[in-house]
Amino acid sequence: MNRPLTPRGAATKRRIVAAAAELVYARGAEHVSLDEVMDITNTSKSQLYHYFANKEALVREVIALQTSRIVEANAAYLGALDSFTALRAWGDMIVAAYRASGGVGGCPVGSLANELSTRSEDARLLLKQSFSTWATVIANGLRRMLQDGQLRPDIDVDGVAIAMVAAVQGGILLAKTARDARSLECAVDMALAYVERHRSCRT
């Protein structure tokens, strides 16, 4: 059984994962070595292997970190979702976040999925759960709107949430390729327009 980490140990582990996440985001998991992670975090090999059995274990932690960041960013908008105005604010946040990245790098989770899904079954399953977690945050927000009577009962909340994640991922990929946010804006607008078409006649 692994012993619980001390507060100092937990902080060191978080620092290593955060640094590894930046390297992986910039260059891809395949092109990042443990030696590079040790250099950038000023940790020894014994320290690194104290926290991570191997590179795959570190990558799993990177996936978990990037997932938590995306869920937190979405939850800040969708956690209080109570109107179409709030839904539009979420869409604007997605586009603004892409623009803030300078049009390079793409979605951290999407990039990992593109690289690792056919190479590692463990990573694929973790990334599958990442997208599911993201879709659940969106679905919960839409479900609140449904319960408030703002959406018609015939809307497939879970299906729409999955489609919205897919729209964002596809939009980011096209925007990254074109170095132009227009593709992402169109994808987000189409997704929100679909939700709008399910507006209740009572609102």
Side-chain angles (χ1 to χ4, degrees):
M1 178 181 294
N2 294 330
R3 295 181 179 178
L5 294 176
T6 65
R8 182 177 179 181
T12 298
K13 182 178 180 180
R14 287 194 299 270
R15 179 171 60 83
I16 294 171
V17 174
E22 294 303 316
L23 286 174
V24 168
Y25 182 62
R27 304 214 307 268
E30 182 181 4
H31 301 292
V32 173
S33 69
L34 292 181
D35 286 339
E36 289 176 296
V37 175
M38 285 186 283
D39 287 342
I40 199 171
T41 58
N42 194 30
T43 54
S44 66
K45 182 172 290 188
S46 62
Q47 278 182 299
L48 194 70
Y49 281 99
H50 174 69
Y51 299 111
F52 313 100
N54 47 40
K55 181 179 175 179
E56 289 71 26
L58 176 56
V59 170
R60 287 196 294 270
E61 293 287 346
V62 167
I63 292 172
L65 175 62
Q66 298 292 32
T67 300
S68 69
R69 287 173 171 173
I70 287 177
V71 170
E72 287 171 11
N74 279 259
Y77 288 81
L78 298 175
L81 179 60
D82 60 1
S83 66
F84 287 93
T85 299
L87 190 60
R88 168 49 64 182
W90 168 79
D92 290 344
M93 178 275 293
I94 294 292
V95 176
Y98 168 80
R99 285 194 171 124
S101 74
V104 296
C107 169
V109 173
S111 296
L112 284 167
N114 184 58
E115 179 185 6
L116 300 175
S117 290
T118 59
R119 297 180 183 176
S120 167
E121 182 65 6
D122 286 344
R124 184 190 70 79
L125 292 173
L126 285 173
L127 289 159
K128 174 185 175 183
Q129 185 58 48
S130 296
F131 287 125
S132 178
T133 299
W134 186 358
T136 296
V137 174
I138 296 173
N140 288 341
L142 294 175
R143 194 166 284 111
R144 281 191 295 273
M145 291 180 67
L146 178 62
Q147 291 169 347
D148 287 344
Q150 298 186 60
L151 293 170
R152 298 199 316 266
D154 62 336
I155 188 171
D156 177 4
V157 168
D158 293 320
V160 169
I162 292 170
M164 290 172 72
V165 172
V168 170
Q169 287 299 311
I172 288 176
L173 177 61
L174 292 177
K176 175 185 174 182
T177 304
R179 295 291 174 87
D180 187 338
R182 178 63 178 159
S183 299
L184 178 57
E185 288 178 315
C186 288
V188 170
D189 285 346
M190 297 261 318
L192 298 190
Y194 181 81
V195 178
E196 181 74 28
R197 287 200 294 273
H198 287 80
R199 180 190 288 268
S200 169
C201 60
R202 291 156 48 189
T203 59

